[in-house]
Amino acid sequence: MSNYLAKNNAAESEVAPKRRRKLWLAGVAGLTGVVSIAAVGVATGAGAVGTESPRWSTAQQVNKDGDQAAEEGREGHKGKKDDRGRGDKDRGKEVPCDSDKLIQAIIFANENHGGVLELAKGCTYTLTRSDEFGNGLPVIEENLVLKGHDTKIVRAATADNFRILNVGRGGNLTAKGLTIKGGQTRELAAAGDTPEAVWSRFSNSVEATKVAQAGKDYMPVLQAKPKGAALKAAQAPGEVSVLAQPEPNDGAGVLVQPGGTAQFEETHIVANQAGGVGGGLANFGKASLYHTTVADNTAFFYGGGIFNAGVLQVRESRVTNNDAIIGGGGISNGAAFIFRQDIDGGTTLIEKTEITSNEVLGFGGGYLDIEGNSTIKAAKITDNTAVLAGGGVTAAGDSSIELKHVEVASNSTVGVGGGIALAFGAIANVDDSKVVSNKAGFFGGGVFTVFSEATFRNSEISGNRAVGPLGVGGGIFNVIARTDLDKTKVAHNFATLRPGGVFNFLGEVNVDDKSAITANKPTNCEGSFTPVPRCFG
């Protein structure tokens, strides 16, 4: 798969890999109660996100050398023209290595139809204060280009909590050659939205594994309609999920509001922490990343690295070492809750990108889609971890996900679906891809699917393991779902209990004559409640 991935050319001095927590060491026997969000301290955020211009004080805008207006007159004068006029316009306005002057330059650009800001080479613009809406820099309301040259914009470690960048409605940000680091927003109150409670809307796998551990028949639990779905419907009758407005605590590194647009090239979004969704980036508008790294970010709810509820494109980039509590350690397209309104996933296109070494206490260690549309091409989703479900990829609700030329490998979960977990209405099309060497503590080392549909074409599901004492379905675990295998190999998978290849219960598994289910241990399909055609042993 490495032939599909281009090297990230951006400097990576600030993105040294951190030591990963060993969630797997929690053990399958410790699944019950290991992810209670109540153990994490929370505080309710206040105020609005702020779509209007921030009210920066005059003292904050005045530069050290004299009057602000005089400075703007020197740097932004539009009167006298000379031969250098066109070149100056193309080059943009140079911003000295001073955070006050950066703030001043953005305000001036907002008031004068945008502009290009040439940031100082090798400079660190350290932000120490924010506006009343929790923005470290003025909300971007026009076409603004921030051109860095090994340039960093960081929040001071001792400063109050605030995000770094906010792109408002009508704003269009282009960032190149930057490091955006250290943004932090206050935690929103959990209000009972724990990983277990939210996942119970889509699957009863947590309850089923508890029953299995007690030595009882877990299938009636697993095949029942998820109780959390009924709970949500009862609490909010007639309510439908919508493309929501961001909360004040979303997007610690960057927030793109509905109607806003942002492009990032050769940029690092690192070490930001959101009290809501989107540790590195929360996109409710349009955002694109190219040759960009999103690393070491954290979100209190969804999208440790990136949260999307708009249109997102990520190309030839890296999303690595990010963490979330409920869903989508690396990237989350959409969010579900129990006691608040859902956020529909948007539309994402991920190409030639690595999503690696991300973690979540809930589901979707690498990538999560809820009620959205996702296309992932020529990518690697590897070495991610989830406690409840979907170490690599999770799709839930009325979501649609397409994987093409994708390697889903070496991901793990204490629960179900080491590589891929599909639940309650999800549809997945997997073409020319590999689901290999993933690990689950209970059901579906490679693929776990319940009340969903999946098609695998010209693909391989091999070397996956369901390794716990009650592990079943090393390759595929299919319950009241439909899985189609077209020119696909399911081989060399392992489960503690039979079958090791494909487990099917009241579902439909279609195997064409060019597919093979072979060399799985302890059996290929023997032990399934519902027979699997063209499967022997």
Side-chain angles (χ1 to χ4, degrees), residues 382-398:
T382 62
D383 298 294
N384 302 286
T385 304
V387 171
L388 296 183
V393 176
T394 296
D398 294 328

Side-chain angles (χ1 to χ4, degrees), residues 119-436:
L119 305 187
K121 182 177 181 180
C123 168
T124 297
Y125 293 90
T126 302
L127 308 178
T128 59
R129 58 188 178 272
S130 66
D131 67 1
E132 64 266 42
F133 301 118
N135 300 303
L137 292 172
V139 177
I140 295 167
E141 300 173 329
E142 296 285 344
N143 292 323
L144 180 68
V145 179
L146 297 178
K147 295 180 67 175
H149 308 273
D150 191 23
T151 303
K152 302 175 180 64
I153 304 176
V154 305
R155 168 186 157 273
T158 58
D160 290 338
N161 293 343
F162 56 80
R163 71 173 56 84
I164 306 296
L165 286 164
N166 187 341
V167 184
R169 180 174 58 84
N172 184 0
L173 167 67
T174 299
K176 183 175 182 179
L178 297 182
T179 293
I180 300 165
K181 182 179 180 181
Q184 185 169 347
T185 60
R186 295 176 61 193
E187 293 94 349
L188 290 168
D193 283 304
T194 65
E196 300 99 324
V198 177
W199 181 242
S200 72
R201 288 184 53 189
F202 306 107
S203 171
N204 294 330
S205 66
V206 173
E207 294 80 358
T209 54
K210 292 177 182 178
V211 171
Q213 285 178 305
K216 300 178 181 179
D217 183 7
Y218 60 85
M219 291 310 306
V221 177
L222 198 57
Q223 74 183 83
K225 183 177 180 180
K227 65 178 183 179
L231 174 63
K232 178 68 176 181
Q235 291 179 340
E239 180 183 333
V240 295
S241 57
V242 297
L243 180 63
Q245 295 289 327
E247 296 284 348
N249 307 56
D250 296 337
V254 183
L255 171 65
V256 181
Q257 299 188 43
T261 304
Q263 300 88 31
F264 302 91
E265 183 175 349
E266 296 178 0
T267 288
H268 298 290
I269 303 174
V270 298
N272 302 283
Q273 181 176 342
V277 301
L281 165 66
N283 175 50
F284 290 78
K286 295 181 180 180
S288 64
L289 289 74
Y290 178 67
H291 280 188
T292 288
T293 297
V294 181
D296 301 324
N297 303 285
T298 301
F300 195 70
F301 289 113
Y302 289 88
I306 301 172
F307 177 81
N308 180 60
V311 178
L312 173 70
Q313 184 178 68
V314 183
R315 296 187 298 125
E316 298 182 40
S317 296
R318 295 174 61 233
V319 181
T320 183
N321 290 337
N322 302 286
D323 303 273
I325 291 182
I326 296 185
I331 301 175
S332 182
N333 186 37
F337 299 96
I338 297 294
F339 298 104
R340 66 188 73 185
Q341 194 173 54
D342 291 346
I343 305 174
D344 272 345
T347 300
T348 66
L349 174 61
I350 315 294
E351 290 185 288
K352 299 180 182 178
T353 289
E354 295 181 352
I355 303 174
T356 64
S357 301
N358 303 285
E359 296 182 355
V360 69
L361 295 181
F363 43 95
Y367 189 89
L368 170 66
D369 188 292
I370 296 179
E371 306 280 345
N373 292 278
S374 297
T375 301
I376 305 176
K377 298 181 178 180
K380 289 186 176 182
I381 304 175
T382 62
D383 298 294
N384 302 286
T385 304
V387 171
L388 296 183
V393 176
T394 296
D398 294 328
S399 62
S400 177
I401 186 166
E402 177 183 346
L403 306 180
K404 189 169 185 178
H405 293 294
V406 175
E407 182 177 345
V408 181
S410 301
N411 304 286
S412 63
T413 178
V414 179
V416 300
I420 299 174
L422 306 173
F424 208 59
I427 297 176
N429 293 314
V430 183
D431 294 273
D432 302 296
S433 296
K434 294 182 178 181
V435 182
V436 297

Side-chain angles (χ1 to χ4, degrees), residues 16-45:
K18 65 181 179 179
R19 185 177 182 181
R20 308 304 297 154
R21 295 192 305 273
K22 302 296 185 181
L23 291 183
W24 181 257
L25 295 181
V28 297
L31 178 62
T32 304
V34 298
V35 290
S36 174
I37 208 170
V40 184
V42 298
T44 302

Side-chain angles (χ1 to χ4, degrees), residues 15 319 503 516:
V15 196
V319 181
F503 175 88

